Amino acid sequence: MLVGVYCCWGGSCRGVERAGCRNVDHKSKFRSKKGQLPFVELNGEEIADSAIIVKELSKKFDKNLDAGLTPVQRGISHAMVSMIENHFSWVVLWWRAKYPESMIKGYQVNLRNALNTRLPNPILNICFKFTAARKGMKKAKAHGIGLHTEEEILDFGRYDMRVLSEFLEDKPYFFGDEPTLLDVVAFANLAQLYFIDKEEEHPLRDFMNECYPNLVGLVNRVKERAFPDWDDICRMIDVNAQVAKPKEQGKETKEGTGPAEKQPLADDAEKGKGDEKEKDQEMEPEDKEEK
């Protein structure tokens, strides 16, 4: 089986190159048929939306994180996951849209790489503020969360974290000694706060650090268990894991790139458009990027 993973920020997904998975550079414009990111391609079948991705991959690989839960626990897990994905995650999205400059600095986003352009970062920062940030705020208002005052929205986030903290108590994971889907979903969202650069202010991150050390412990436990090489991954991972590194450019191959219509995203990410490969190979790197 081959899984191609199309993620946000130019396809950079930590750790997806493992177990036959490859992250694919979507050049910040190719999205799923539903218009969503992330999405995956499993043997040519496109799967979008994180919840559906987890569900389908669990079936394909016979890995059910909630197999040991009772029906009551599964119901609680479903309610908690829904709270995180349909409420808490929107608080995080609102902050990113409200403070785009802090978001860029806090996540150390290189917009030139993320947007596949040679424009200088100062110009990209301005463009991002008036395009992607406005789009994010529009989504937040359409959802409803963006219609409230800043303090009200932050209170929503604080209360969601309180609920999670009180349910976790002093357990290693929400339902005991082994992680379940709820732990994974909580990690994915809380990590977006916890790993914001310490130089940038974020009231919810500071609140979690000060008031809910058990949530901080959960984030670190999941990170250490799932990503023991986290620091190396953050420092060294290529945006497109299946494109050879510069010193190996002459050894590039096209094995396992997935469906034909997505192939240029994977194999020609460093060469420009797929239908002009030979011409691009003779061009200087700067000319390629302009194309």
Side-chain angles (χ1 to χ4, degrees):
M1 289 186 178
L2 174 65
V3 182
V5 185
Y6 298 72
C7 292
C8 303
W9 300 116
S12 181
C13 251
R14 293 186 174 101
V16 297
E17 72 276 16
R18 304 173 185 181
C21 296
R22 300 191 181 194
N23 56 318
V24 181
D25 183 6
H26 57 76
K27 301 186 183 302
S28 295
K29 63 179 180 178
F30 294 102
R31 294 176 176 267
S32 69
K33 294 176 182 177
K34 295 181 179 180
Q36 292 179 303
L37 284 175
F39 74 98
V40 305
E41 283 187 346
L42 177 61
N43 294 333
E45 177 187 357
E46 185 178 296
I47 309 172
D49 191 283
S50 298
I52 300 176
I53 289 171
V54 171
K55 177 182 177 182
E56 294 301 317
L57 293 185
S58 295
K59 290 180 180 178
K60 295 288 186 181
F61 295 98
D62 193 24
K63 297 291 183 181
N64 184 358
L65 288 175
D66 293 344
L69 300 184
T70 67
V72 172
Q73 289 175 326
R74 290 177 186 175
I76 295 173
S77 175
H78 175 74
M80 288 287 196
V81 168
S82 296
M83 178 192 73
I84 295 171
E85 293 185 336
N86 299 311
H87 195 259
F88 183 75
S89 68
W90 283 93
V91 175
V92 179
L93 180 146
W94 166 85
W95 176 82
R96 294 201 303 262
K98 178 72 173 179
Y99 300 103
E101 293 182 4
S102 295
M103 186 275 285
I104 292 171
K105 294 177 181 178
Y107 293 140
Q108 299 180 353
V109 178
N110 187 322
L111 288 177
R112 296 184 71 184
N113 290 342
L115 300 177
N116 192 35
T117 179
R118 296 183 64 214
L119 290 173
N121 275 317
I123 294 178
L124 291 176
N125 288 346
I126 295 174
C127 293
F128 183 86
K129 181 177 181 179
F130 288 100
T131 55
R134 282 187 176 182
K135 185 177 180 180
M137 188 59 69
K138 184 177 179 180
K139 288 182 177 180
K141 289 182 178 179
H143 172 272
I145 198 108
L147 300 176
H148 302 287
T149 67
E150 178 166 338
E151 190 58 30
E152 288 171 337
I153 296 172
L154 293 175
D155 277 343
F156 288 149
R158 294 186 186 105
Y159 190 74
D160 287 344
M161 286 193 289
R162 174 183 171 183
V163 170
L164 291 171
S165 177
E166 289 178 349
F167 183 61
L168 178 61
E169 296 179 319
D170 59 353
K171 301 187 296 293
Y173 301 102
F174 284 106
F175 291 102
D177 294 330
E178 292 297 322
T180 63
L181 179 61
L182 176 55
D183 297 287
V184 174
V185 174
F187 168 80
N189 287 271
L190 293 173
Q192 294 182 54
L193 299 179
Y194 182 70
F195 291 108
I196 290 175
D197 190 279
K198 299 300 186 292
E199 298 298 321
E200 293 300 314
E201 294 184 3
H202 195 298
L204 292 183
R205 179 204 58 202
D206 298 338
F207 184 73
M208 179 173 67
N209 286 336
E210 293 171 8
C211 300
Y212 302 126
N214 60 342
L215 294 183
V216 173
L218 174 70
V219 170
N220 282 293
R221 274 190 294 277
V222 175
K223 185 198 81 169
E224 292 168 4
R225 180 161 180 162
F227 304 101
D229 51 350
W230 178 278
D231 292 336
D232 291 337
I233 292 172
C234 293
R235 184 175 66 254
M236 300 174 61
I237 190 170
D238 295 326
V239 171
N240 190 340
Q242 66 224 62
V243 171
K245 294 180 180 179
K247 64 180 181 180
E248 301 173 338
Q249 286 293 333
K251 300 180 181 180
E252 290 181 13
T253 66
K254 295 185 178 180
E255 294 183 7
T257 54
E261 64 271 21
K262 295 296 191 300
Q263 189 168 320
L265 297 181
D267 295 332
D268 301 321
E270 298 297 327
K271 299 180 183 178
K273 297 182 180 179
D275 57 355
E276 296 180 347
K277 290 184 225 175
E278 294 183 359
K279 182 178 179 180
D280 286 343
Q281 288 175 340
E282 299 174 357
M283 297 170 62
E284 293 297 324
E286 292 185 355
D287 295 329
K288 294 181 186 179
E289 292 184 27
E290 291 178 349
K291 290 197 68 178

